[in-house]
Amino acid sequence: MLRWALIFLIVALIAAALGFGGIAGAAAGIAKVLFFVFVVLLVISLLVHLVRGGSPRI
């Protein structure tokens, strides 16, 4: 999922450089949402792993 966030971020940067404001804004918004979803899933995964009695492997 982090890969998709980075892809949309790159698309947003390229679109912004070429002057496509609407596409750049949409791609940046999607990248932001995917990044925050990734962070939430990471935190949940770490909490579940700690509750089960293991040390987190990062």
Side-chain angles (χ1 to χ4, degrees):
M1 190 172 302
L2 187 58
R3 175 184 284 175
W4 282 104
L6 291 174
I7 289 171
F8 277 109
L9 178 64
I10 292 169
V11 168
L13 291 174
I14 292 171
L18 295 175
F20 299 111
I23 296 172
I30 293 170
K32 191 184 301 184
V33 168
L34 288 176
F35 177 75
F36 285 120
V37 168
F38 169 77
V39 170
V40 168
L41 290 175
L42 174 69
V43 169
I44 291 171
S45 175
L46 287 174
L47 289 175
V48 168
H49 190 72
L50 289 174
V51 168
R52 288 189 176 179
S55 61
R57 285 186 265 164
I58 298 177

